[in-house]
Each structure stands twice: as C-alpha cells, then as structure tokens.
Amino acid sequence: MSLSKQKPEPAHPHVRQVALPWKTPKPDVEDPRASALVAELLNSPEYRQADKDVAFLQQDETRGVRLQIDYQKAENLLGEHGIAQSIVVFGSTRIPEPGAARQALSDLDEQIEKDPDNAGIKTRITIARRILDKSRYYEIAREFGRVVGRAEGCDLAIVTGGGPGLMEAANRGAHDVKAPTVGMNIVLPHEQFPNPYLTPGLCFSFHYFAIRKLHFLLRARALVVFPGGFGTLDELFETLTLIQTRKIQPVPVILVGRSYWARAFDPDFLVEEGVIDPEDRDLFWYAETAEEIWQDIRRWYDRAGLRLTKDGT
C-alpha cells in the first residue's frame, strides 16, 4: 500500500459524510409528544441566541453591552468611510431656511386677521418675526458647509446632530458640493427624522447621549456654534468644560452671531464673579460670516503651531 493511501484526506470544512445525531429532532414514532416538546423549547425566548434576543439586550443588567455597541457601530462605519477629522456644527433645530420662516409668519398674519384679539397668536407672531430674523444664520451655516466641503487638500467632514434647522443647513452646504457629511441623531421619546442632506451610510442613530457626545468630539478639529437652545448650550458648555480642564486638547470654539450670544450668556459676568478665570473667557470667540469662521479656524491652527488636517493643510 502506498504512503498516500495510508494517510486520510483533509476533512471538508463544512460538509460531513454522515450526519451527527442531533442533526434531526427526536422522531414522533419514538414519542408522539417529541416534536411538540421540541417546538416549545425552540420558541422559548430563553433559547434565543443572546445577540438576537432584543428583550434580553434591553434589560438594565445589559446596559454595559448596549453602551459598547452604541459606540462601536458608529466607530466602525466612520473608519470604513475614512472620516478621521471633522468640524462639528451645532445650532437650533427651530430656525429654518428663510423661505420657510417667511411662510410661517405669513400664515400667522392670516390667522390674526381673522382673530385680531387673539393674544396667543400675537405672541406667536412676535416669536415668528424673531425666527425670521435669525433665519439668516441658515444661509451662513449652509455657506460654511460649502466652504469646508470644497476646501482644497482638506479632508474635514461636517458633523452635526443630524436634525433640521441650522444643523441641516451645514449638512446641506457640504451636500451642495458633494462632500461627505455626517449626522448623529439621538433616539428620543418623540420620533426624530434625519435631515435629507446627510451622506448615506454616515447617518447614525444613538441611544445614549454620552456615546453620541463622545463621537462628536473624538475627531473634532473645531466646534462652530450657531444660535440655539438647551441642546446647543449643552454641547457648547460641555466642550468648553473639557477644554478648560484639558480633558481634551484645545480646539477652536466659535460662536456665530455676537448679538445673540451676548444675550444668551455673559462670560464677562462669570469672570467678574470669580467662577471662571480670564483665560477661560478666551477659549471661544465670535464670528459673523462663513468665510470669517473658516479663516479664524485656519488662523488658530497656524498660531498654535498645529496642523488643521493630517495632510498639513
């Protein structure tokens, strides 16, 4: 007998010549109850594979796992799409493009004509006029998205919370020039839709605010903050706190619209009261136009002796 005949061939990686005993369930001919009993076991939620058992994954005890996968999915996809550096843009979801703001005011004007003594409508008209005035920031945010998206030799992606209003505008500007643009939605009790100007594959839905905030700043090269409310203030103050404590390296923080921000909060008062230091007041500044924002970011990196992007631009 030759040597080759004495040695067995490698086993097939998937196929067996003879099925293993557990390949088929116990037949009913052996026990009439067998198939029903097996079916009951297979349909039991306890039998589900852990990563396919949604009810199990939603328990309090598995929160750690959920935190991990909430982080990891976006991390993997951002890496696959080559998103290594970003400029984060925040601003109100309630400030639409000028045309929509004008239409909203016009609708209210029609209502007040029919009911001229309605105090509620009058209040809404006052607010609508203010929103219309601030809708100019939509165009500034959109232009800033274009400026970043078409910058030569720049691989910065515009990243926003993915919602409507001023964040939509920044995403839309990048979309206008066919640049990749990222949206990071958060699951809320009331349904939230992403804005339509996000790059497919770069629109994420997070369960945890903490993980979402982590992803905002992991790749951030600057934070640009347009007028906004609680959510905008939350991101602004958290970023300033992280820079103040050097938990993250300093990055440019630019507040767009001095007239708005001067009323929203008073950093000079905080310095005078001794609750922040004068140097903390200098962790941010104001700008009014898209080009000014962009030039301020580039100038900050030049003065810091750092590179804005990895390729040196």
Side-chain angles (χ1 to χ4, degrees), residues 194-265:
N195 73 64
Y197 305 110
L198 301 166
T199 300
L202 290 175
C203 177
F204 307 114
S205 179
F206 290 92
H207 182 81
Y208 295 102
F209 271 102
I211 299 300
R212 180 183 185 234
K213 290 178 176 182
L214 176 62
H215 273 298
F216 278 135
L217 293 179
L218 272 178
R219 298 163 179 81
R221 307 295 282 171
L223 175 66
V224 178
V225 191
F226 285 83
F230 287 166
T232 302
L233 291 167
D234 176 40
E235 297 299 334
L236 168 61
F237 289 135
E238 179 164 55
T239 303
L240 289 175
T241 301
L242 291 171
I243 296 173
Q244 177 195 51
T245 59
R246 299 305 190 269
K247 190 69 175 176
I248 64 172
Q249 292 186 357
V251 296
V253 176
I254 302 173
L255 309 188
V256 184
R258 179 189 289 269
S259 61
Y260 176 85
W261 289 109
R263 292 198 64 189
F265 81 106

Side-chain angles (χ1 to χ4, degrees), residues 106-117 121 125:
S106 177
D107 292 344
L108 288 169
D109 285 338
E110 290 182 7
Q111 292 180 35
I112 202 64
E113 287 181 5
K114 299 175 183 177
D115 189 4
D117 297 322
I121 297 176
I125 287 175

Side-chain angles (χ1 to χ4, degrees), residues 87 144 147 156 221-222 250-254 285-309 312-313:
I87 292 182
F144 179 69
V147 168
L156 292 165
R221 307 295 282 171
V251 296
V253 176
I254 302 173
W285 63 92
Y286 306 101
E288 303 298 333
T289 68
E291 188 60 32
E292 183 182 7
I293 300 166
W294 179 236
Q295 292 306 322
D296 281 354
I297 293 171
R298 294 178 64 90
R299 187 180 304 110
W300 188 95
Y301 276 92
D302 286 342
R303 294 171 70 178
L306 299 172
R307 293 180 175 181
L308 173 56
T309 60
T313 58

Side-chain angles (χ1 to χ4, degrees), residues 26 46 58 73 205 219 224 238 283 304:
K26 185 177 180 66
E46 291 79 10
Q58 293 299 320
K73 181 178 180 181
S205 179
R219 298 163 179 81
V224 178
E238 179 164 55
L283 295 178

Side-chain angles (χ1 to χ4, degrees), residues 8 23 45 53 76 78 88 118 127 154 172 199 209 212 220 287:
K23 181 70 174 177
D53 188 344
N76 288 358
L78 288 166
V88 178
N118 190 310
I127 294 173
C154 177
R172 187 174 185 176
T199 300
F209 271 102
R212 180 183 185 234

